[in-house]
């Protein structure tokens, strides 16, 4: 009997026929279960295509060489590879069943790459052709009878098809026909339909790879089954419960709470919340209750959708603010589900970003938890099976505009979902045009519903084309005296940082202040000066990414406690404090930056209205370094500052003016080139090739990163112990004679330690670690570079400001490690 996967844990070996038809049938059912409104292929045909791709994706495992490999009698080599030969057979099978050649090429691409990332179709297949030239005769000679039996009902005369394949003809087809076929097909498509084709390809790939991985792992999905069909979370019942438990905080007669209730009511009574409308916006001030509002919207919309639809995907710009929002959602979901949530929390709510240990709580008894269980959990986490997912912009946007296997396996679970994009102004204006088109197609053709939330609504959506619904009358809240919290003074006259910090220390006498700088260097310089010059009764903090996540979290707790206790406090920070960090200062200074960033920082000023109407005072300054260069020019494009200057005509504004200024500001953006080049790649299914006037999908980066190196700063002796244990485990894994059970035990422990050690990881540019380059202070290799507990104390780390680009003292020839 031909097998596809060996025996594992308590599962016997899996017959190849069982695996192929499990994947094929499940892929077909997944497509059939979706609500699609496609224009380039019928849903029935798409489901059939998914089925064919599934039943042929592992055809090549029928070779004698692969069977010997899976039985442990042969090491993996070129002859055991199965993706290419499977892709060739799938190509010919689909070509027989489908009229348009494009679908055969798509099937070939997906099967060929189902163990790796998507790539642009290329004719250069010489090595694979030679290997397939040996594999086909082997199957026909040794496995013909069983292959015929496998496909007897689904395809008919499979041996005829295999015998008819001429690899030279196929090579020529790749060389000559594919590009012509794609061009000819594309000539009849609109740009929206080309984008639709891109999403159809990615949907088929997502269905294939996720179904393949889960069937291979023999996953039991009972934990998640029908979770989307359960009743939605009742936000209003939760609010009523809060009122009962904390009557003073949630007093309905208190003016702010009354306005919050009106905001919530305006959302859920909006008659335009309907399944046929796919795009919604909420533009409202900080503190109005947007968390409750977006959930109330999602719940109302979900109640109108067919059963089994409406997974809620809540996206935030940064990992650093996910925990705070996740905790709020968890309170609401736990209240609604009660003991059902505690029993199976991952069924209802999931937190997903790249730094977390990917575990589905209570899916497996903890005392029985194994590395296999962890790998299974990771499959569930990364494919977003939960009813509600809290995640990052990177996870979401790199999935919908994606090529990577690990990202695309969740794409099919975005279809028919409700996606909430919070603080969406954090997306670079370079991508507005790109998102405008892809979100429109994804919404209308794949029935995804989008809610964009922000205090400064950028022009990402084309309201006329997309039919955008504004859920609330934003000016009613933006201009309400209760939210008119901040007086903004604008001083665009350039001044040296040295002059600014001297003047600040000589004149500031307020109870608390936040100063937001554009660079780590300017923030640290300002902090060090203030710490020396201000009165001793002020607590002074510095927040930059030179601090480990462990220390940043600790400092934010101390800052919140000081604010709560009304202690005298000054905090100097970089932009990391802008979005979603729940702190409130009376006085705020912001170095010059984009207007949306200015408004974000204003959200940390009199955030809760505790200082009364216009009780928060914020000043926008324009700081230069000693070389007469603006600090903002180091981090922002000059066109952004120009737009700010064009919009800001007065030297003072109030919070109620921010909405109109934001509309004016975003109206000036016309970044075309980058979006156009990415869209051209999407139209051509260009996943990774260099092409004129195109930026390949592979080169799409939501967040532009510099060349950086991840370093672990071992801030505690326990962290050092964990690192040494982790490295010891990595070394043990090199033992080729290690038993499988022992290896899996070590792998699980190593994964847990990786998650723990990320609290001490920071990213540094090469010039920032130059001073340590020729020393032994930075140890380790690859992704596990670290600075020991003693070395960080001796040379590298300051508890107040974090990593030091210049050592505390001269590095000795011998250092501690």
């Amino acid at each position: 009997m031909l097998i596809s996967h060996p025996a594992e844990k308590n599962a016997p070996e899996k017959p190849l026929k069982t695996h192929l038809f499990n994947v094929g049938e499940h892929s077909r059912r997944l497509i059939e279960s979706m609500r699609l409104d496609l224009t380039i292929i019928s849903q029935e045909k798409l489901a059939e295509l998914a089925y064919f791709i599934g039943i042929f994706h592992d055809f090549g495992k029928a070779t004698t060489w692969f069977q010997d490999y899976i039985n442990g009698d042969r090491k993996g080599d070129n002859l055991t590879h199965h993706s290419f030969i499977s892709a060739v057979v799938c190509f010919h099978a689909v070509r027989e069943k489908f009229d348009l050649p494009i679908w055969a090429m798509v099937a070939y691409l997906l099967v060929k790459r189902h163990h790796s990332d998507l790539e642009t179709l290329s004719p250069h297949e010489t090595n694979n052709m030679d290997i397939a030239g040996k594999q086909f005769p082997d199957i026909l000679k040794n496995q013909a009878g069983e292959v015929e039996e496998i496909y007897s009902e689904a395809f008919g005369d499979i041996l005829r098809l295999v015998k008819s394949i001429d690899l030279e003809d196929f090579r020529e087809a790749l060389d000559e026909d594919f590009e012509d076929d794609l061009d000819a097909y594309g000539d009849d498509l609109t740009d929206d339909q080309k984008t639709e084709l891109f999403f159809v390809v990615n949907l088929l790939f997502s269905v294939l790879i996720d179904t393949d991985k889960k069937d291979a792992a023999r996953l039991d999905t009972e934990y998640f089954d029908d979770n989307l069909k359960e009743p939605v979370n009742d936000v209003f019942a939760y609010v009523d419960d809060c009122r009962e438990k904390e009557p003073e905080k949630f007093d309905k007669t208190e003016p702010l709470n009354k306005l919050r209730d009106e905001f919530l009511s305006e959302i859920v009574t909006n008659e335009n919340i309907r399944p046929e409308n796919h795009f919604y916006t909420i533009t409202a001030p900080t503190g109005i209750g947007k968390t409750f509002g977006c959930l109330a919207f999602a719940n109302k919309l979900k109640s109108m959708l067919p059963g089994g639809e409406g997974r809620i995907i809540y996206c935030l710009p940064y990992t650093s603010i996910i925990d705070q929002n996740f905790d709020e959602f968890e309170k609401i979901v736990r209240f609604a589900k009660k003991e059902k949530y505690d029993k199976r929390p991952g069924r209802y709510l999931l937190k997903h970003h790249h730094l977390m240990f990917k575990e589905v709580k209570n899916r497996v008894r903890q005392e029985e938890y194994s590395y296999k269980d962890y790998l299974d959990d990771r499959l569930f986490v990364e494919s977003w099976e939960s009813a509600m997912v809290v995640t990052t912009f990177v996870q979401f946007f790199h999935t919908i505009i994606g090529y990577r296997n690990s990202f695309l396996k969740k794409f099919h679970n975005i279809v028919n979902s409700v996606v909430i994009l919070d603080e969406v102004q954090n997306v670079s204006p370079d991508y507005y045009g790109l998102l405008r088109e892809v979100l429109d197609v994804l919404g209308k053709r794949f029935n995804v519903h989008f809610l964009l939330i922000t205090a400064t609504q950028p022009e990402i959506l084309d309201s006329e084309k997309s039919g955008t619904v504004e859920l609330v009358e934003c000016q009613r809240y933006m201009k309400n005296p209760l939210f008119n919290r901040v007086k903004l003074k604008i001083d665009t006259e350039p001044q040296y940082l040295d002059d600014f910090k001297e003047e600040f220390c000589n004149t500031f006498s307020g109870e608390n202040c936040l100063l937001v700088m554009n660079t780590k260097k300017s923030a640290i310089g300002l902090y060090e000066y203030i710490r020396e010059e201000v009165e001793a009764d002020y607590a002074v903090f510095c927040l930059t990414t030179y601090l480990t996540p462990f220390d940043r979290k600790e400092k934010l707790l101390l800052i919140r406690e000081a604010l709560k206790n009304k202690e005298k406090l000054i905090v100097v920070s970089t932009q990391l404090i802008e979005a979603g960090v729940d702190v409130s200062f009376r006085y705020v200074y912001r170095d010059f930056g984009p207007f949306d960033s200015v408004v974000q920082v204003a959200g940390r000023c009199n955030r809760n209205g505790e200082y009364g109407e216009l009780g928060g005072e914020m000043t926008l300054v324009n700081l230069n370094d000693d070389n007469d260069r603006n600090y903002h020019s180091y981090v922002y494009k000059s066109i952004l500052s120009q737009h700010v200057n064009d919009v800001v005509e007065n030297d003072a504004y109030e919070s109620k003016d921010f909405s109109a200024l934001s509309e004016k500001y975003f109206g000036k953006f016309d970044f075309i080139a980058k979006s156009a080049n990415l869209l051209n790649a999407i139209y051509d299914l260009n996943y990774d090739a260099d092409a004129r006037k195109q930026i390949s999908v592979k080169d799409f980066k939501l967040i532009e990163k510099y060349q950086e190196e991840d370093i672990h700063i071992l801030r505690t002796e326990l962290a050092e112990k964990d690192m040494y244990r982790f490295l010891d485990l990595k070394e043990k894994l090199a033992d080729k004679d290690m038993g499988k059970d022992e290896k899996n035990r070590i792998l699980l422990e190593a994964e847990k330690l990786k998650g723990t050690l990320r609290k001490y990881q920071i990213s540094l540019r090469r010039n920032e670690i130059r001073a340590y380059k020729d020393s032994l202070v930075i140890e380790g290799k690859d992704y596990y570079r670290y600075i020991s507990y003693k070395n960080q104390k001796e040379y590298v780390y300051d508890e107040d400001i974090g990593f030091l680009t210049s050592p505390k003292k001269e590095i000795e020839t011998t250092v501690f490690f």
Side-chain angles (χ1 to χ4, degrees):
M1 178 182 67
L2 295 172
I3 64 172
S4 63
H5 299 88
E8 192 172 69
K9 206 174 180 181
N10 299 321
E13 61 187 22
K14 174 158 281 194
L16 178 59
K17 180 177 181 178
T18 301
H19 175 62
L20 290 172
F21 284 88
N22 281 352
V23 174
E25 290 289 354
H26 190 66
S27 296
R28 172 157 59 191
R29 288 197 302 272
L30 271 175
I31 298 293
E32 287 174 342
S33 70
M34 294 172 181
R35 194 161 49 91
L36 303 173
D37 189 19
L38 304 177
T39 65
I40 61 172
I41 187 173
S42 71
Q43 188 161 346
E44 182 183 3
K45 277 289 186 184
L46 186 65
E48 185 183 2
L49 180 57
Y51 171 74
F52 270 90
I53 290 171
I55 66 172
F56 284 105
H57 81 283
D58 274 353
F59 174 91
K61 286 185 175 181
T63 66
T64 303
W65 299 295
F66 183 85
Q67 291 300 305
D68 288 344
Y69 163 73
I70 209 72
N71 285 306
D73 299 327
R74 181 189 181 94
K75 291 184 177 180
D77 56 25
N78 287 342
L79 289 171
T80 65
H81 294 175
H82 65 277
S83 295
F84 178 73
I85 184 176
S86 302
V88 174
V89 175
C90 189
F91 169 88
H92 287 85
V94 171
R95 193 171 64 173
E96 280 197 13
K97 299 292 183 178
F98 286 75
D99 296 334
L100 292 173
I102 184 69
W103 300 120
M105 285 296 185
V106 165
Y108 164 75
L109 169 65
L110 303 187
V111 173
K112 177 173 173 279
R113 302 298 297 178
H114 76 275
H115 287 302
S116 48
D117 299 332
L118 283 179
E119 65 178 7
T120 307
L121 270 172
S122 163
H124 306 297
E125 300 287 2
T126 304
N127 291 338
N128 285 327
M129 292 286 186
D130 293 341
I131 296 162
K134 298 175 182 177
Q135 292 172 322
F136 276 124
D138 173 77
I139 291 174
L140 290 171
K141 178 181 178 183
N142 300 305
Q143 314 292 355
E146 191 160 353
V147 167
E148 186 173 31
E149 191 275 326
I150 287 174
Y151 290 100
S152 58
E153 294 182 19
F155 192 79
D157 194 356
I158 184 67
L159 296 182
R160 172 199 56 78
L161 179 78
V162 174
K163 290 174 183 176
S164 72
I165 294 172
D166 185 313
L167 288 173
E168 269 309 311
D169 287 348
F170 183 66
R171 189 201 308 266
E172 289 179 17
L174 286 179
D175 283 343
E176 299 171 9
D177 295 343
F178 173 68
E179 206 166 317
D180 293 339
D181 288 341
L182 182 59
D183 288 343
Y185 181 69
D187 286 342
D188 296 325
L189 300 182
T190 65
D191 287 348
D192 281 357
Q193 287 177 315
K194 292 174 185 175
T195 304
E196 182 184 325
L197 173 63
F198 172 77
F199 284 140
V200 165
V201 172
N202 287 7
L203 173 59
L204 288 167
F205 190 62
S206 177
V207 165
L208 170 63
I209 60 178
D210 190 54
T211 303
D212 180 30
K213 292 175 195 295
K214 287 175 178 169
D215 187 71
R218 287 88 159 179
L219 287 193
D220 178 3
T221 63
E222 185 270 335
Y223 183 96
F224 297 96
D225 284 349
D226 294 328
N227 60 346
L228 296 184
K229 294 182 180 179
E230 292 196 24
V232 296
N233 308 306
D234 190 338
V235 173
F236 292 93
Y238 175 76
V239 173
D240 288 342
D241 184 68
C242 290
R243 284 200 177 104
E244 190 175 319
K245 291 176 179 175
E246 300 179 82
E248 289 186 10
K249 183 178 178 182
F250 290 89
D251 181 4
K252 290 180 75 169
T253 63
E254 198 273 326
L256 181 56
N257 285 338
K258 187 177 179 183
L259 197 62
R260 285 169 174 162
D261 286 346
E262 291 173 8
F263 171 76
L264 199 55
S265 176
E266 186 176 354
I267 290 173
V268 296
T269 57
N270 192 310
E271 295 180 354
N272 289 313
I273 299 177
R274 298 194 299 264
E276 59 267 28
N277 292 329
H278 296 95
F279 303 96
Y280 303 84
T281 62
I282 293 177
T283 306
T286 300
I288 190 66
K290 285 183 280 190
T291 300
F292 289 158
C294 71
L295 267 189
F297 156 79
N299 291 340
K300 178 176 180 180
L301 179 59
K302 181 175 167 57
S303 69
M304 299 175 175
L305 300 174
E309 285 188 27
R311 174 176 286 103
I312 300 171
I313 302 171
Y314 182 85
C315 307
L316 289 155
Y318 309 116
T319 56
S320 57
I321 57 175
I322 280 188
D323 287 347
Q324 178 181 303
N325 287 271
F326 180 85
D327 291 345
E328 288 301 310
F329 289 128
E330 187 173 47
K331 291 174 187 174
I332 298 169
V333 177
R334 176 177 272 123
F335 172 80
K337 303 300 179 185
K338 298 181 171 57
E339 66 276 359
K340 289 170 68 178
Y341 179 81
D342 292 322
K343 185 178 179 182
R344 294 192 289 185
R347 173 180 174 83
Y348 304 106
L349 184 62
L350 166 73
K351 175 168 55 178
H352 183 213
H353 56 78
H354 73 289
L355 296 177
M356 58 177 284
F357 179 70
K358 298 173 179 64
E359 179 183 12
V360 179
K361 290 184 180 178
N362 300 344
R363 191 183 67 84
V364 177
R365 289 165 59 92
Q366 196 59 41
E367 58 269 25
E368 299 171 357
Y369 201 77
S370 67
Y371 183 63
K372 169 69 167 62
D373 295 318
Y374 165 72
L375 293 179
D376 293 347
D377 277 357
R378 194 167 74 180
L379 286 175
F380 282 128
V381 168
E382 292 180 345
S383 63
W384 290 1
E385 297 293 338
S386 302
M388 181 174 181
V389 180
V390 182
T391 189
T392 61
F393 282 3
V394 167
Q395 283 293 332
F396 179 75
F397 287 118
H398 279 264
T399 298
I400 65 170
I401 307 169
Y403 76 102
R404 289 171 59 184
N405 190 299
S406 59
F407 277 76
L408 284 172
K409 63 188 176 188
K410 60 180 173 283
F411 180 83
H412 66 287
N413 277 333
I414 292 174
V415 173
N416 298 159
S417 66
V418 179
V419 177
I420 301 166
L421 301 173
D422 199 355
E423 307 286 8
V424 74
Q425 75 282 342
N426 284 280
V427 174
S428 168
D430 281 332
Y431 297 127
Y432 287 179
L434 171 71
L435 298 185
R436 192 171 296 133
E437 176 155 337
V438 299
L439 295 186
D440 187 78
V441 173
L442 197 58
K444 293 174 179 175
R445 299 297 161 221
F446 297 84
N447 281 299
V448 181
H449 296 84
F450 291 97
L451 171 61
L452 278 60
I453 307 176
T454 181
T456 58
Q457 197 69 251
E459 293 293 322
I460 290 180
L461 298 176
D462 181 338
S463 296
E464 189 173 330
K465 179 182 179 182
S466 299
T468 308
V469 174
E470 293 186 22
L471 291 175
V472 296
E473 207 293 292
C474 68
Q475 295 304 319
R476 179 183 172 206
Y477 303 99
M478 300 296 275
K479 293 190 175 184
N480 189 288
L482 288 171
F483 291 103
N484 196 26
R485 299 166 174 165
V486 179
K487 291 181 289 189
L488 173 63
K489 177 186 173 185
I490 296 174
D491 184 1
T492 56
E493 191 65 31
Q495 57 180 309
Y496 290 111
L497 177 60
D498 286 346
D499 294 338
F500 169 76
K501 59 191 182 186
E502 184 177 340
E503 181 184 357
F504 175 82
C505 289
N506 288 337
T507 59
F508 183 74
S509 59
E511 58 265 55
N512 59 60
C513 185
L514 169 67
L515 302 104
V516 180
M517 300 292 106
N518 282 321
T519 68
K520 288 177 278 191
K521 184 177 180 180
S522 62
I524 291 169
L526 178 58
Y527 162 77
E528 290 177 331
Y529 186 88
I530 291 174
R531 185 176 56 178
E532 294 297 321
E533 297 297 326
V534 298
E535 296 175 12
D537 56 346
Y538 277 102
V540 186
F541 289 88
C542 183
L543 293 174
T544 79
T545 51
Y546 280 153
L547 291 165
T548 65
F550 172 83
D551 286 320
R552 288 205 300 270
K553 185 176 182 179
E554 290 296 311
K555 288 188 187 302
L556 276 169
L557 288 173
L558 292 173
I559 289 167
R560 290 191 180 105
E561 192 66 23
L563 288 167
K564 180 182 177 182
N565 296 332
K566 296 182 168 48
E567 298 170 17
K568 297 183 79 172
L569 173 71
I570 298 174
V571 175
V572 183
S573 178
T574 54
Q575 303 93 321
L576 67 84
I577 206 165
E578 283 181 9
V581 179
D582 190 11
V583 289
S584 180
F585 293 83
R586 180 161 193 175
Y587 300 95
V588 171
Y589 289 82
R590 173 54 160 111
D591 194 5
F592 203 79
F595 192 74
D596 56 298
S597 177
V598 173
V599 175
Q600 285 288 72
V601 173
R604 307 321 114 195
C605 185
N606 195 18
R607 179 178 177 85
N608 304 309
E610 62 268 47
Y611 301 111
E613 184 180 355
L614 294 176
E617 297 183 24
M618 179 174 168
T619 305
L620 184 65
V621 295
N622 189 4
L623 300 179
N624 285 3
D625 63 14
D626 294 337
N627 297 316
D628 286 322
R629 182 174 175 182
N630 302 121
Y631 279 105
H632 64 76
S633 68
Y634 287 98
V635 288
Y636 301 115
K637 294 178 180 179
S638 59
I639 190 65
L640 299 180
S641 60
Q642 182 59 51
H643 286 344
V644 175
N645 283 321
D646 290 344
V647 166
V648 173
E649 297 173 348
N650 303 327
D651 58 8
Y653 291 94
E654 299 176 3
S655 297
K656 64 183 177 61
D657 303 317
F658 291 170
S659 178
L661 288 169
S662 295
E663 188 175 339
K664 228 172 136 182
Y665 173 73
F666 285 115
K668 289 185 170 293
F669 287 117
D670 190 21
F671 292 107
I672 296 174
K674 204 165 191 178
S675 283
N677 288 342
L678 275 159
L679 284 169
N680 287 337
I682 285 171
Y683 299 156
D684 286 351
L685 299 182
N686 177 6
Y687 289 97
D688 65 349
D690 291 330
R692 187 170 173 271
K693 292 187 177 181
Q694 292 190 7
I695 298 174
S696 70
V697 175
K698 183 178 181 179
D699 292 323
F700 166 63
K701 292 179 177 61
L702 188 72
I703 300 173
E704 292 293 339
K705 287 192 175 182
Y706 300 94
Q707 283 195 318
E708 294 178 331
E709 184 171 350
D710 291 333
I711 305 288
H712 291 83
I713 313 286
L714 305 180
R715 291 281 293 122
T716 67
E717 291 181 89
L718 179 59
E720 182 172 79
K721 182 180 176 182
D722 285 342
M723 175 58 80
Y724 291 160
R725 174 61 178 164
F726 175 77
L727 295 173
D728 180 53
L729 294 174
K730 297 289 285 183
E731 195 171 311
K732 285 181 178 178
L733 288 171
D735 180 3
K736 295 181 179 178
D737 297 324
M738 181 185 294
K740 186 175 181 180
D741 289 344
E742 175 67 4
K743 182 177 181 179
N744 286 341
R745 185 191 65 76
I746 289 175
L747 285 167
L748 178 61
E749 186 182 353
E751 285 295 332
K752 289 181 177 179
L753 286 171
K754 272 196 325 194
T756 300
L757 288 167
R758 286 189 180 113
K759 293 185 294 186
Y760 306 97
Q761 179 181 304
I762 63 174
S763 296
L764 297 166
R765 299 185 204 175
R766 289 175 182 172
N767 67 309
E768 293 175 318
I769 57 175
R770 188 179 295 128
Y772 304 96
K773 183 181 177 185
D774 297 321
S775 74
L776 296 177
V777 170
I778 301 178
E779 304 172 56
K781 59 182 181 178
D782 301 327
Y783 297 108
Y784 307 108
R785 303 268 281 158
Y786 67 93
I787 298 171
S788 69
Y789 174 68
K790 188 150 192 175
N791 280 338
Q792 60 91 19
K793 290 183 72 174
E794 290 277 332
Y795 303 104
V796 174
Y797 201 83
D798 181 286
E799 291 194 356
D800 294 321
I801 62 177
F803 176 81
L804 301 170
T805 56
S806 297
K808 293 180 185 178
K809 63 179 185 180
E810 185 178 349
I811 298 175
E812 300 172 9
T813 305
T814 303
V815 294
F816 298 95
F817 60 95

